[in-house]
Amino acid sequence: MNERLILLAEELYMQYGNEWLIPYFSAKLLTNRADNVYDEFSTFLRALNRYIHNGLGLIYYDDKNGSHTMAAFWGRYSYGSYDNRTYFKRELAENLDARWLERLMEHPHLDDKVKFQFYNRCPVIYESFKQMLIDVLPETIEDARMRSYLGLSK
């Protein structure tokens, strides 16, 4: 939560554009009100959905704490070898705005190819969009439309 890094993410995004959208989006999720973040970034969902999906792919709902948490990795990773990356887990400033869930259900998603694995924190890379949505939901989902969309039993 180094303020200089947060400001750097914003500066790099402003200077270089979409290549820095994920760090900028992530910094906002960690520091700003949920409704403000949604208002600023939801417009990117259609045109730049890969960036926003990858940003949302860093988030999961921590049932123990009752909050949305970001898990981000930094470093080199080679599948099948020991992982020497560093990572951090931080609660978002506020839980995700519920409007993200509605927007994510608007898009057609492929069946999951990979289930959630903490060390592979970004399911979007594996085209596991439904799994990404499941990860940001609390363990119990009451909404009938959401349960139907996710193929969960009643």
Side-chain angles (χ1 to χ4, degrees):
M1 298 297 288
N2 185 306
E3 187 175 324
R4 291 178 302 161
L5 290 175
I6 292 168
L7 292 172
L8 179 60
E10 183 173 4
E11 182 181 323
L12 289 169
Y13 170 69
M14 295 303 170
Q15 186 171 355
Y16 297 108
N18 298 333
E19 293 176 30
W20 290 92
L21 182 59
I22 296 170
Y24 178 57
F25 178 50
S26 298
K28 292 289 186 165
L29 286 166
L30 291 167
T31 59
N32 287 38
R33 288 176 30 155
D35 57 341
N36 291 343
V37 175
Y38 178 83
D39 291 341
E40 182 175 352
F41 292 95
S42 64
T43 58
F44 291 112
L45 199 53
R46 294 218 172 171
L48 300 169
N49 63 14
R50 191 58 124 186
Y51 293 109
I52 296 301
H53 279 124
N54 278 317
L56 291 171
L58 300 173
I59 300 166
Y60 67 97
Y61 188 83
D62 187 340
D63 285 297
K64 292 178 188 170
N65 298 333
S67 63
H68 283 106
T69 302
M70 181 180 292
F73 293 97
W74 183 269
R76 181 175 223 135
Y77 175 72
S78 175
Y79 187 78
S81 66
Y82 289 104
D83 186 354
N84 61 2
R85 296 178 294 181
T86 59
Y87 73 95
F88 71 87
K89 292 190 317 184
R90 299 272 192 290
E91 290 181 19
L92 301 187
E94 293 182 357
N95 281 340
L96 283 176
D97 189 300
R99 294 177 291 176
W100 283 114
L101 306 177
E102 289 294 321
R103 290 292 304 278
L104 291 171
M105 285 195 313
E106 290 175 2
H107 301 284
H109 298 291
L110 303 173
D111 289 335
D112 288 339
K113 295 179 181 179
V114 173
K115 293 296 180 195
F116 171 71
Q117 300 169 344
F118 183 75
Y119 60 87
N120 282 339
R121 190 47 245 158
C122 197
V124 178
I125 292 170
Y126 303 101
E127 298 179 345
S128 297
F129 298 107
K130 280 187 179 180
Q131 185 65 41
M132 179 194 67
L133 184 54
I134 290 169
D135 291 344
V136 298
L137 295 171
E139 206 170 278
T140 56
I141 304 165
E142 302 299 329
D143 183 277
R145 187 169 155 249
M146 179 76 70
R147 290 183 70 76
S148 172
Y149 174 77
L150 295 173
L152 301 172
S153 61
K154 296 184 180 193

